[in-house]
Amino acid sequence: ERIAIDQFLRLLAEIMGTRRVLLRLNYHMVEFLLTHLRWLPLPMTPCKDDLLWLNEALICNMRSIPYQFKIQLTPLREGLENYYVK
């Protein structure tokens, strides 16, 4: 399955039974926040490398994984439900 990060976050929140507000920020807004608000006591402080990572297309070819690791892949929703609900 190919899924965008915002779709993944919505799916995950739905499965976990929580409601979250997703804000769509552009690159320059996030860069400004990272540069000027680093003094905030956040549990996890992002850096500019994290920002670059968010802009990249992250695609993983999963075709060889079942053969290499001897596992059965499941659809994303089913796998997340098994992990978070059970």
Side-chain angles (χ1 to χ4, degrees), residues 48-71:
K48 285 195 177 187
D49 288 338
D50 297 331
L51 179 60
L52 293 173
W53 177 79
L54 288 174
N55 271 347
E56 294 179 3
L58 303 172
I59 298 173
C60 180
N61 185 350
M62 304 289 282
R63 292 181 189 186
S64 65
I65 288 182
Y67 306 109
Q68 291 176 347
F69 295 100
K70 310 273 189 277
I71 60 172

Side-chain angles (χ1 to χ4, degrees), residues 1-85:
E1 295 176 56
R2 188 177 275 191
I3 187 169
I5 189 70
D6 57 336
Q7 293 170 319
F8 174 76
L9 293 173
R10 283 189 188 102
L11 175 64
L12 190 59
E14 179 186 327
I15 289 170
M16 294 174 69
T18 62
R19 294 180 57 145
R20 297 282 187 251
V21 174
L22 297 177
L23 299 176
R24 204 172 266 278
L25 301 173
N26 69 30
Y27 179 88
H28 298 293
M29 291 170 114
V30 176
E31 184 179 32
F32 175 83
L33 292 173
L34 289 175
T35 304
H36 293 91
L37 301 178
R38 290 194 71 56
W39 53 270
L40 288 175
L42 300 173
M44 187 174 75
T45 307
C47 65
K48 285 195 177 187
D49 288 338
D50 297 331
L51 179 60
L52 293 173
W53 177 79
L54 288 174
N55 271 347
E56 294 179 3
L58 303 172
I59 298 173
C60 180
N61 185 350
M62 304 289 282
R63 292 181 189 186
S64 65
I65 288 182
Y67 306 109
Q68 291 176 347
F69 295 100
K70 310 273 189 277
I71 60 172
Q72 177 66 36
L73 296 179
T74 60
L76 179 62
R77 181 180 199 82
E78 181 183 332
L80 288 173
E81 285 174 346
N82 286 337
Y83 184 79
Y84 283 105
V85 177

